[in-house]
Structures are given as structure tokens and as C-alpha cells.
């Protein structure tokens, strides 16, 4: 099967890329200034203690031994221990994944739901006011820095209209935010975020809806995610609107559209069934390539809204130069990126039979 | 190559649509603002205000800005709202927001232009060589490009800045040195590592496009002919392949300038930039004062947005006029 062969090849390539990412990160850590043991213990730590930590952590070994150690650990799923909090990095990464997934999926949904109809309308009513409106919106959307957009949303919604957005952080409550109370059995981590199960995540909202027939949890979740999802989703909404518009315009000029019209098929059916389907192919490719932007955007958005996801943890780790934590998060992000791209490529071949999995 | 047909296409599109005109005027205005920043700024952008009793730009222990402001008279030069003296108000340490807005354009544009230039210098030769020679060179170069692409641009940039450090380079300001603007800072801080990092993050996109062009050009008749005449490969690359692959590279460069402006702003917002005279950093500063002094964050964001809009409008103009075959709105960051 061509498909299976293709997938195997992509997976092998993916493994190679991950190995490259790991090596690059290890190299960066090796050339970065600052002694790890000192970073771990803090400035002015006891010299004997520093020496003992160097010995224990294998920092006195030659660099290739350290590298092999690190890669060997990774193969067993061991990302090491955080220098700052001495917690298992794997656990620190895993506990932050759901929040980031919720945010990115919500942003993607926002983008698709708004952008595709907007792009279709814009393309079918060219040079009418609705087209100009959509074009202007997409120009603004791809040109606005999303952290600023997030702050302006907070300013308008929370400060001017007085609708506070909820935050889970206990360390500092940002302007315009209200703190969501937590059940007391949940512990707090180093940064003041609850560890373990999240209190108002989507699964909890669904559980409340199904078992208690209560919509209040879902409402809380929606209140909690709306502003961050809009912030992260705007760039993608604008991007997909542009792509849909230009793709639709190209497709609408093709002979088969005239043929279907001549056959007497109703216009909306032509638009949505035939033309849009063909337009989706390049959109999906570009979206796959833009996953990196989405994740970079998530880092920023999580920082603005104190959203307890991977991105915020990454920024914290970078600020205090917690290399193992930072490496763990970046390796995970690269891994996710590669997996998503393989899925996108598979979708691409599925949607477009002409493209043999080359 | 930039042929006559292309220039006439560019002119044609420019005449027909008003969007490129807006973009050009806007960008020229911002460039002029950046160049003549010392003449336009009303205050020294780095001069902080101070409290009369302590002489410090920060409120005394146990006070917030708000409590200090409430006790009128204690404060010298830490204005609250925009006034005729400070037309856009002042920030949390009493610096003039308008002057910092004007100076911010310099940092933003310099980083964007230099960063994109660096990416061009690295990416285009790598891509052309990979595409032209093909085979093992191509495989090696493109696999390393894949590794670079597996990092989200911003994440890679943050990691690299962490390694390189972020000490800004002080560049002397010619206008102030020539004595045209008294009382303005004599040098401006350019975040050198952010510029280098931006180049290192986005070069891959140039390499990919250049490779694609070289790949299709190497099978053209005239390239084969030059080869059979014994023209050395290096000469073919510089005489034939490079000039003929310029169009998509130019279009990509405009898109990437916009991307680098946003990247620099994001890094500065997160505090990884090294310079404090940056639009992104100003937005971060105003974040905690959003309730009482929203203009601190508001105006720098408008600056970023207008610059990126201007660059994007020019990019759309180039793309529509030159019609290169590159994939949609690729943005590396």
C-alpha cells in the first residue's frame, strides 16, 4: 500500500528530526554560559556542595558521555529533573498539556467557524462592501500582535465593561481578572498553579453536564476560555479568510464550475460542495505549516492571560534558565508539531487523490 | 530577474488599487519617523520622572503608584493622564510615551531589516546550492531545515536569546551627534542578539523557496546550454539561477519583514529582548496599569500594527503584481 509506505517513511523522517532537535538543544545547553550546578543551587552556594552536585549530575564527565546519558534517558521517557523545583520534568510537562490543547483547539475552532464562511462570502461577492469588510478584517488580523490584542480585549471587556475574566493563578491576579476558587484538596506548584487535575477544564465541565445536569460549569469554562481563544485565534481567522477567498476566486474561474452551473445545480451547492472542497486542500497544507505559529502564539497568549499551559511554563523555565524543563517542553512541542504535520500530510493525500504520496 | 515586464506590472497594479498606495505612504511615514526620531520626540525617551521626596522614579515603600498619585504635590514629572506637555501621557516611571513611541520605530525597523537581510544572506545561497546540485547535499541541507522548522519560531528565538544573552549594542545617533537635537540620547540601543536570532530563525523559509526555484530552473534549456558550453557551476548559479529566482524571494522577504517585526515585539514583551526602548517592552510595562493608564500599552501596539499593516500591504502588492508561485501566506514565526 502506498499510504502505509508513505506513513512509515514520514515516521522515520520524524524520528530523525526529533533526534536532530534533541541534539541541537543539547548543543545549545553545552555552549550556553553559566555552570549548571551553580544555576541549580543559586549564586553564592557552598563550593563543596556545587562540586558534589557536579559529581552527582555527571557534569564532570566528558561531553559525549553526558550526551549519551541524556539521549539514553530520553529513550526511556526520562526528561530529567527541573533544576529549580527538582520535580520530574515529564510530570511537569504532562500536567500542563490539557490546558494548552484546550486553548489551541478552541482557537482553531474559532478560526474555522468564522473564517470559512467569511472567505466564501468575500469571494462570491467580490468588490462589494462585505468583501471590503472581510479584507480589512483579515488585514488587521494578520497584522496585530496577539499579546497586544489580548490586552486590548481585557481592557475593553474587563476594564471598560466590567466583565472580569477568570484566572487560575494564585501567585498574582492580573488586571481585570478574578480568581477562581479551588477545592482545597488540590495542591499548588512552584508558580502558584494548581497541580494535578484542573478544576474548570473542559472534561470537568462535561462531567458536570452529564452527571449533574449542571450547565454552570460549562458556563464557567466558556467564560474562562473565550478571551484567550479569541486572542490566539484571530491571526488564524484572518489567515484562513485570506486563503479561502483567494482559493475560492481561483476555483470559481475554472471550467467545471461553469459546467455544474450549466447542469442546473443550485449555487450554494456548487459553492460549498465542489468549490470549497477543492479550496480546502491548500488551506490544510498551509495550516499544517503554520502549526509552529499556533504554538508560538500559545506561548504568548498563555503569558498574557496567565493560562496554566505549557507555553507559560516554558517562559517561566527560560526566565530562570531551567534547562531540563525547557528542553523537555521544547522536545514535546517539536514532537507534537511533527505528529500534526504527518496527520496533515495524510489528510492531504486523502483529500486530493491526484497527489500520490510522493 | 527584475524585467521591464515586472516593473510595468508593479506600476499597473499600483495605479489600479489604492491599497498599495496606503501601504507605501504609511511605511514611508514610519521610516521617516524612525530616521528623524530625535527631532520629533518631545522629551528624552529614556529620562524618567521622579518623586519629589525620594528622587526615585518608583513610589516609596508601602505605596503604589495610585496612592502616590492621589496625594498631589508629592510627584514631580510623573504625569498621569495625557497633557499638553506629554501628549500621550507618561509610563510607569514617568517617561514620555510619545517620545518612546517615536524611538520604538527605530528599533523595530532596524531589527526587521537587518534580521531579514541576514536570513537572505544565509538562506538563499543554501537553498540555491541544495536545489541546483540536488542529491546528498540537498538531502543534508533540507533535513537540517526540517529540524529548524520543527521548532516554533518564537520558541527557538527565546532559546537562542537565552544562549547568546541579550546585551544591546549602542549605536551612536548621527542626528544627535551632529548637534541637531539637544538633550536626546546620544546612542540608541539595538538588540543585536535579537537581530541575529531573527535571521537564524527565518533563514529556512528563504532556503526552501530558493531551493524550489533552483530545482525547476536547473532543467531549463538555457541552463543546460550554459553547462554544455563549459560554464562553471558557480557562474551558472550567480548568472542564471539567482537572478531568475529573485521574484519569489523578494515577495517572501516582505512577508518575513512583517514577521520579524512581530517576533521582535513578542520577544521584547516577554522580556527577552535586552533593550527597553521597544514597542513590545512598553506594552508589557503597561499591562499592570491597564485599569488606570491604558495608553501605556495602547499606543506602542498601534505602532506595531500600523507598521505590519504597511509591510503587508506592500507584500500583497508585490505578490499580486509579480505572481510568484509561493504557498499562500507563509510566515516563519
Amino acid at each position: 500500500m502506498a499510504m502505509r509506505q508513505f506513513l512509515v517513511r514520514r515516521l522515520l523522517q520524524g524520528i530523525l528530526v526529533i533526534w536532530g532537535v534533541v541534539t541541537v538543544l543539547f548543543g545549545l545547553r553545552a555552549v550556553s554560559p553559566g555552570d549548571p550546578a551553580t544555576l541549580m543551587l543559586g549564586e553564592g552556594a557552598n563550593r563543596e556542595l556545587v562540586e558534589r552536585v557536579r559529581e552527582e549530575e555527571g557534569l564532570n564527565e566528558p561531553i559525549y558521555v553526558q550526551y549519551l546519558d541524556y539521549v539514553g534517558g530520553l529513550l526511556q521517557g526520562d526528561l530529567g529533573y527541573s533544576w529549580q523545583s527538582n520535580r520530574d520534568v515529564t510530570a511537569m510537562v504532562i500536567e500542563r498539556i490539557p490546558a494548552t490543547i484546550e486553548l489551541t483547539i478552541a482557537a482553531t475552532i474559532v478560526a474555522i467557524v468564522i473564517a470559512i464562511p467569511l472567505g466564501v462570502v468575500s469571494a462570491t461577492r467580490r468588490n462589494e462592501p462585505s468583501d471590503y469588510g472581510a479584507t480589512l478584517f483579515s488585514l488587521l488580523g494578520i497584522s496585530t500582535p496577539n499579546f497586544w490584542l489580548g490586552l486590548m480585549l481585557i481592557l475593553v471587556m474587563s476594564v471598560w465593561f466590567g466583565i472580569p475574566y477568570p484566572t487560575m493563578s494564585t501567585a498574582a491576579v492580573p488586571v481585570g481578572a478574578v480568581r477562581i476558587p479551588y477545592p482545597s484538596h488540590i495542591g499548588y506548584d512552584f508558580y502558584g498553579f494548581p497541580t494535578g487535575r484542573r478544576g474548570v477544564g473542559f472534561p470537568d465541565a462535561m462531567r458536570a453536564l452529564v452527571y449533574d445536569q449542571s450547565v454552570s460549569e460549562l458556563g464557567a469554562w466558556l467564560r474562562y476560555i473565550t478571551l484567550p481563544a479569541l486572542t490566539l485565534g484571530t491571526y488564524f481567522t484572518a489567515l484562513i479568510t485570506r486563503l479561502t477567498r483567494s482559493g475560492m476566486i481561483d476555483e470559481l474561474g475554472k471550467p467545471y464550475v461553469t459546467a455544474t452551473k450549466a447542469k442546473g445545480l443550485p449555487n450554494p451547492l456548487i459553492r460549498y460542495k465542489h468549490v470549497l472542497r477543492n479550496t480546502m486542500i491548500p488551506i490544510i497544507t498551509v495550516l499544517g505549516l503554520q502549526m509552529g505559529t499556533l504554538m508560538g502564539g500559545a506561548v504568548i497568549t498563555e503569558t498574557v492571560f496567565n493560562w496554566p499551559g505549557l507555553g507559560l511554563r516554558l517562559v517561566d523555565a527560560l526566565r530562570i534558565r531551567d534547562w531540563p524543563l525547557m528542553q523537555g517542553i521544547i522536545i514535546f512541542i517539536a514532537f507534537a508539531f511533527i505528529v500534526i504535520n504527518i496527520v496533515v500530510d495524510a489528510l492531504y493525500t486523502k483529500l486530493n487523490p491526484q497527489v500520490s504520496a510522493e | 530577474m527584475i524585467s521591464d515586464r515586472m516593473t510595468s506590472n508593479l506600476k499597473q497594479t499600483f495605479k489600479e488599487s489604492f491599497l498599495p498606495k496606503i501601504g507605501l505612504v504609511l511605511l514611508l511615514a514610519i521610516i521617516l519617523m524612525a530616521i528623524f526620531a530625535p527631532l520629533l520626540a518631545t522629551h528624552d525617551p529614556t529620562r524618567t520622572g521622579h518623586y519629589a521626596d525620594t528622587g526615585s522614579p518608583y513610589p516609596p515603600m508601602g505605596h503604589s503608584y495610585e496612592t502616590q498619585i492621589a496625594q498631589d504635590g508629592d510627584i514631580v514629572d510623573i504625569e498621569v493622564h495625557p497633557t499638553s506637555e506629554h501628549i500621550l501621557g507618561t509610563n510607569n516611571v514617568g517617561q514620555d510615551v510619545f517620545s518612546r513611541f517615536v524611538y520604538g520605530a527605530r528599533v523595530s525597523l532596524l531589527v526587521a531589516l537587518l534580521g531579514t537581510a541576514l536570513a537572505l544572506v544565509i538562506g538563499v545561497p543554501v537553498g540555491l546550492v541544495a536545489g541546483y546540485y540536488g542529491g546528498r547535499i540537498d538531502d543534508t541541507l533540507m533535513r537540517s531545515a526540517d529540524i529548524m522548522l520543527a521548532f516554533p519560531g518564537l520558541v527557538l528565538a527565546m532559546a537562542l536569546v537565552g544562549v547568546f544573552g541579550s546585551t544591546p549594542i549602542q549605536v551612536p545617533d548621527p542626528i544627535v551627534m551632529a548637534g541637531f537635537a539637544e538633550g536626546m540620547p546620544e546612542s540608541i540601543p539595538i538588540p543585536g542578539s535579537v537581530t541575529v536570532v531573527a535571521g537564524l530563525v527565518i533563514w529556512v523559509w528563504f532556503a526552501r523557496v530558493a531551493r524550489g526555484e533552483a530545482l525547476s530552473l536547473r532543467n531549463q534549456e538555457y541552463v543546460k546550454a550554459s553547462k554544455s558550453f563549459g560554464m562553471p557551476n558557480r557562474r551558472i548559479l550567480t548568472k542564471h539561477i539567482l537572478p531568475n529566482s529573485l521574484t519569489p524571494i523578494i515577495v517572501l522577504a516582505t512577508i518575513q519583514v512583517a514577521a520579524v517585526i512581530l517576533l521582535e515585539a513578542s520577544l521584547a514583551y516577554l522580556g527577552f529582548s535586552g533593550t527597553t526602548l521597544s514597542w513590545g517592552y512598553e506594552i508589557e510595562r503597561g499591562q499592570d496599569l491597564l485599569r488606570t493608564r491604558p495608553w501605556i500599552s495602547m499606543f506602542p501596539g498601534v505602532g506595531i500594527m500600523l507598521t505590519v499593516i504597511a509591510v503587508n500591504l506592500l507584500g500583497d502588492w508585490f505578490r499580486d503584481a509579480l505572481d510568484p508561485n509561493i504557498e499562500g501566506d507563509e510566515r516563519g514565526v
Side-chain angles (χ1 to χ4, degrees), chain A residues 110-126 128-141 233-246 248-249 271-272 276 283:
Chain A
V110 166
I112 291 172
V113 166
I114 300 176
I116 289 183
L118 205 58
V120 172
V121 167
S122 186
T124 47
R125 299 189 188 162
R126 263 184 102 176
E128 284 177 36
S130 49
D131 181 24
Y132 290 134
T135 310
L136 183 68
F137 162 77
S138 52
L139 181 66
L140 286 175
T234 298
Y235 169 69
F236 285 87
T237 314
L239 184 70
I240 300 174
T241 309
R242 276 166 78 107
L243 291 174
T244 314
R245 180 179 182 271
S246 60
M248 284 282 285
I249 288 172
R271 258 182 241 158
Y272 285 97
L276 190 58
I283 295 180

Side-chain angles (χ1 to χ4, degrees), chain A residues 295 299 310-311 314 328-338, chain B residues 150 152 155:
Chain A
M295 288 173 187
V299 171
L310 270 182
L314 177 65
I329 296 172
I330 296 181
I331 290 170
F332 176 79
I333 291 177
F335 177 76
F337 178 77
I338 287 162
Chain B
V155 171

